Amino acid sequence: MKTFILCGGFGTRLDYEGKLKAKPMVKIGNKPILMHIIENFCKQGFNKFIFCLGYKSESISNYFLKDNKTFIKNIKKFKNNIFFNFNKNGIKFEGNLCFTGINTGTGGRILKSYKNLKLNEDFIMTYGDGLSNIKIRKLVKFHYKNKAEVTLTAVRPKQRYGVLKINKNKVKFFDNSKEKSDVYVNGGFFVISKSAIKKIKSNYIYWEKEPLIYFLKKKKLFAYKHEGFWKSLDTLKDKNDFNEMIKKNESPWKV
């Protein structure tokens, strides 16, 4: 099963780094967060990737084709797509670099890549800025067991701020422990049936809007609850948090 990784967004909240490179190229430890994502999938037996590129796409293509050229073989170039095989330190995978445009929506990136590669199959999709120790095989099994059209991974991230409960302008409860939220959010890591592609009507559609709302109404959108580690790279603080984990020799996203 192929995995689409959305790599085209703007890293607007990452200070100067977001202006220099694609967000998936921001380093966690000594390598880009994208490689941490790839390694997690490969170690679980999923090693075919479609990288949906947009903003600062050259920073990703150069990482593979120039910075790691000694580990790359079988490069084949097509229109808006470069295929290659990667083999380094036990991590082996097939990659497709698909340029999907600067201002394309997340749904449009999926649609463009899917059509460009002439696919006709179910697939996995995730974002190029999130790490989790989710077990992908269990996610896929859950998807087919429920006969879902789309399955997303529901996570409960830690609170970013202290939680208050207020009654008549008086604070009745205060919790600054930053424990996990009591609500689930969309953590990415989707399984998407091939028929769902038809609900992406244009290149400017955002996957999280019209398509997901459609499957929600049709009761074909399922949530796989993941209670383990999940964290996204949204801000400079998130980058620092990740790197602090690395310094402590902790990598809770590893399966």
Side-chain angles (χ1 to χ4, degrees), residues 4-255:
F4 285 60
I5 304 182
L6 302 190
C7 302
F10 299 90
T12 53
R13 291 187 288 170
L14 280 167
D15 200 24
Y16 68 96
E17 277 202 278
K19 298 176 182 178
L20 297 175
K21 61 184 75 170
K23 195 200 288 190
M25 284 293 101
V26 173
K27 284 189 175 181
I28 303 300
N30 62 359
K31 55 193 168 189
I33 189 171
L34 180 61
M35 283 306 302
H36 289 283
I37 297 169
I38 291 169
E39 288 175 6
N40 249 9
F41 273 88
C42 287
K43 288 176 180 178
Q44 297 184 68
F46 296 87
N47 58 4
K48 295 181 179 180
F49 299 97
I50 292 92
F51 305 105
C52 305
L53 311 183
Y55 178 71
K56 296 292 182 181
S57 61
E58 69 282 355
S59 63
I60 296 178
S61 57
N62 287 343
Y63 174 79
F64 289 115
L65 305 181
K66 292 184 178 181
D67 300 348
N68 287 279
K69 62 182 179 180
T70 56
F71 307 106
I72 297 291
K73 291 183 179 179
N74 303 322
I75 298 175
K76 299 175 184 177
K77 296 183 179 181
F78 306 96
K79 185 178 181 181
N80 294 325
N81 178 59
I82 301 174
F83 172 86
F84 64 92
N85 288 111
F86 182 95
N87 186 352
K88 180 181 180 182
N89 297 333
I91 300 300
K92 301 178 182 180
F93 66 86
E94 295 179 3
N96 280 278
L97 298 166
C98 291
F99 182 71
T100 58
I102 300 296
N103 297 310
T104 309
T106 50
R109 296 193 192 286
I110 298 169
L111 179 65
K112 277 189 169 185
S113 300
Y114 196 89
K115 284 186 173 181
N116 189 25
L117 296 172
K118 298 179 181 178
L119 300 179
N120 184 32
E121 60 195 71
D122 303 342
F123 58 97
I124 298 165
M125 186 275 279
T126 192
Y127 303 102
D129 61 359
L131 291 175
S132 176
N133 61 351
I134 180 174
K135 291 179 172 58
I136 304 298
R137 291 193 182 279
K138 287 188 175 182
L139 170 66
V140 173
K141 184 178 180 180
F142 175 91
H143 175 81
Y144 289 116
K145 181 181 179 180
N146 287 283
K147 298 179 180 179
E149 286 291 319
V150 177
T151 297
L152 60 77
T153 300
V155 298
R156 294 196 289 183
K158 287 186 177 181
Q159 301 280 6
R160 285 185 179 269
Y161 308 103
V163 177
L164 300 176
K165 289 184 180 179
I166 301 171
N167 184 17
K168 295 181 180 179
N169 297 325
K170 291 183 179 180
V171 176
K172 294 294 184 181
F173 174 83
F174 173 64
D175 181 8
N176 200 38
S177 64
K178 297 189 178 179
E179 294 296 327
K180 284 187 177 180
S181 168
D182 58 355
V183 297
Y184 286 95
V185 300
N186 171 19
F189 296 94
F190 291 85
V191 180
I192 303 172
S193 298
K194 61 184 180 181
S195 58
I197 288 291
K198 297 175 183 177
K199 299 305 172 186
I200 305 174
K201 300 297 185 181
S202 81
N203 294 332
Y204 302 101
I205 291 290
Y206 282 84
W207 170 249
E208 302 80 8
K209 294 184 179 179
E210 290 93 334
L212 285 194
I213 291 171
Y214 171 84
F215 291 110
L216 173 67
K217 290 179 178 178
K218 292 294 182 180
K219 299 182 180 180
K220 286 294 184 178
L221 174 62
F222 284 74
Y224 176 80
K225 294 179 180 178
H226 175 63
E227 302 293 345
F229 179 84
W230 177 90
K231 183 174 176 62
S232 63
L233 175 66
D234 295 318
T235 66
L236 197 57
K237 181 183 181 303
D238 294 321
K239 177 192 172 183
N240 293 336
D241 288 345
F242 274 124
N243 280 308
E244 191 62 33
M245 294 177 199
I246 294 287
K247 286 180 182 178
K248 293 179 180 177
N249 201 29
E250 297 174 356
S251 299
W253 54 85
K254 289 186 177 181
V255 177

